[in-house]
Structures are given as structure tokens and as C-alpha cells.
Amino acid sequence: MFSWKKKEILSLKESLEDKDSRIRDLERQAASLRRVLASMAEGVIILDKDTRIISLNSSAEKIFGVSEKEARGKLFLAVVPNNDISELISKVLDKREFISQELTLVWPIQRTFQVNASLIPEEDGTINRCLLVIHDISEIRRLEKVRSDFVANVSHEIKTPLTSIKGFVETLLEGAQDDKENAKHFLKIIQDHANRLDNLVNDLLSLSFLESKAIVLEKQKVDLNRLVSDILSGFNSQMRKRSIEAENDLPVGLSVMADRDKLGQVFTNLIDNAVKFNREKGFIRVYSQDLDNKVKVIVEDSGLGIPAKDIRRIFERFYRVDKARSREMGGTGLGLSIVKHIVELHGGDVGVESTEGLGSKFFFILPE
Ligand code: ADP
């Protein structure tokens, strides 16, 4: 009797231990699954067939600004008041097939999502749950828009001078070439437009080169004062014509480790703008400030300045305060974006302080 009891107790103990270990296994699996869901970049929501939320991972919490604790057991539409997603869920539950749809959310923040909705079959084949996987594709869509805007801008910038060139060539061929005075004037206009196209293509080539992964900076010790002196002397005749004075106040011997040609391009573009957008008898001053292990170089001018509303976008490609004026002066609207690219390739930052009507201070900060 006693030995039978002992045997029974032993087997009961074994079976309890077995169950215990299976429960621990299941708990481990569930915890591992929770960790996988929590580390997913996509939002994941599981709903029952009445569209009540069973669970949502931390990405979904962030997207919709709710916690799993608050959301659990509630109807989807009560937690996420978005009719598009709600209709998608109803459609999946109704049609019983996988649906993938791009949706734009305006609340809580404007974003574009690819929402994949599918059903989760249970072991016995019944369907009681629905799975939503929400992939944030806002950045992909933004980049696509940047690219298509860029192509539209380039096409427009090329089309304008090309139309003028064609028009004036036609006029010349139709007889204007016999009128010497007018013919010279038209040829001068054609030359200006051809120069604009040349500038544009050169700037586009610079940009595409700077953006290519293949770019290698040939860094060397660059004496800033000497570099700016050389560049300023190239603008002498332009400045003289409009009585603009330039001062190079960079300390003698101040240097940075940089690609000399590219840094020269930065100064050329900034000084070119400081001349172009200056007033008659204005001034330009180039000076520096010492920051911790960094040097800040400022190109100051007494020109038009930039309206406060435009400052935020001034380094964007093709962004110009006054398009017609910029074109008239041979500008392409790409100079500042080239400056930004070069400085950022050197691990630096660019910026501007400006007061409309008084002048601007364009600056860049580079590691020494
Ligand atoms: P671009 O000079 O060819 O027009 P940029 O990219 O160099 O193109 O400059 C973009 C715009 O920023 C200019 O069209 C002008 O409106 C404004 N800008 C740039 N530099 C200055 C400056 N020093 N003073 C006033 N406005 C400026």
C-alpha cells in the first residue's frame, strides 16, 4: 500500500514538473514573441473579429499616441479615430483576404503608411483575429517628391533660356541679321542665355559629384587668409564697378584641414552672392571667430538682406528670394546648396543671420 502510494506520488510529482517546465517553455516563447514585436520598426496591431484591440506593439503605440494598456479591449475606432483604417479592417474581415493599402494619416501627425491587413487562422481553421502591420513610408514618399520636384525645376531652368535662344535665332534668321545694331543686341542676349545654361550645367555637375558616394576629399592644411585674398582679387573688377569695398579680416596663419579647391568653391559662392546682392558703395567683410576646436568663418555684406520668411529655406536647391533678379544676374539658385554640401562633407555646419534691407552674415563652422 505504502509503496504504491509512493509510486503514485512520484509519478504525480514528475507530471507536475513536466507541466511546470512546459509552462515555463510557453512563457519563454511568449516573452520572446513580445520582444520580437516590441523591436519591430513596423506598427503591429492584433484585433478580434469585433475589431476590439487584443494587443499592439510599441511602434503602434508611438504612431497612434496610445499605450497598449489604454487600448486593450477597446474598439479600434474608439482608440484610432481613422475611418480609412477602420474600413480596411472591415473589408478584411468581410472579404477574408489579405489587403495592402497606402494611407495618409493627418492625426496625430501627418504621415504616409502602407497598411497590410490579414486574418489570423486559429488551429481549428476558424477566424477570430485580424493582424495589421503598419509601415511608415513617409520618408520614401518625401524623397520621391524631392526627386520629382528637382527634375521639374531643372527642366524649367533649362527651358527658359532655351526658349529665348530659339526665339532670337529665329528673329535673326527672319531678317534681323541685316540690321547690324539690332543683330548685335540679339546676339548679346543669346550669349547671356547660353552662359546661363553653361552655369546651370556646371552647378548641376558639381552637385551630382558632391552627392555621389565616390567623392573623396583631398584634405590638406589650408591657410584661410591666403585663400580668401586670392578669391577676392578675382572679384576686383566687379566690385570696382559698383564701388564695393572688401576687407579680409581673417587672422594671418589661421588654417583648417580641408579640400582646398572645394573650400575655395565655398568662398567663391558666398563672396559672389555678397557682391551680387550688395548695394552700390557697399562693403564685404570676411572674418572668423574661434570656437572650441572649431573655427567659424563669416562672410558679411551690407546688401539686400533676406526676408525672415525665406531664411529657413535659403540653402535649398533652386530656392531664391527673387527668381527674376537672380536669373538676371546669372544665378542658378544652386550656389548655396553647393556651399552646404561641401561644408557638411567636411563635417561642418552652415547658417545665416540676416536683416532685410541691412545685410547678411553667411557663416560656416569647420573643425580646425
Ligand atoms: P543664386 O545666387 O544663383 O540665385 P544661391 O543658391 O547662391 O543662388 O542663393 C539663393 C538665393 O539666396 C539668392 O537668389 C538670393 O535670393 C539669396 N541670397 C544668397 N546670398 C545672399 C546675400 N548675400 N544677400 C542677399 N540674398 C542672398
Side-chain angles (χ1 to χ4, degrees), residues 115-130:
V115 183
N116 295 334
S118 53
L119 297 169
I120 309 174
E122 306 303 331
E123 265 174 279
D124 60 2
T126 57
I127 304 272
N128 297 319
R129 291 177 301 166
C130 163

Side-chain angles (χ1 to χ4, degrees), residues 273 276-277 301 306 314 319-321 326 331-333 335-336 362:
N273 283 342
K276 278 195 310 198
F277 300 105
D301 68 63
I306 300 162
I314 211 74
Y319 193 85
R320 289 174 278 200
V321 175
S326 152
T332 60
L336 287 179
F362 278 87

Side-chain angles (χ1 to χ4, degrees), residues 110-146:
Q110 172 136 20
R111 309 222 43 103
T112 309
F113 295 103
Q114 187 70 39
V115 183
N116 295 334
S118 53
L119 297 169
I120 309 174
E122 306 303 331
E123 265 174 279
D124 60 2
T126 57
I127 304 272
N128 297 319
R129 291 177 301 166
C130 163
L131 173 74
L132 286 187
V133 180
I134 301 147
H135 187 58
D136 189 341
I137 54 167
S138 314
E139 188 57 13
I140 299 171
R141 291 290 174 264
R142 191 188 69 79
L143 289 175
E144 280 170 359
K145 184 165 180 338
V146 167

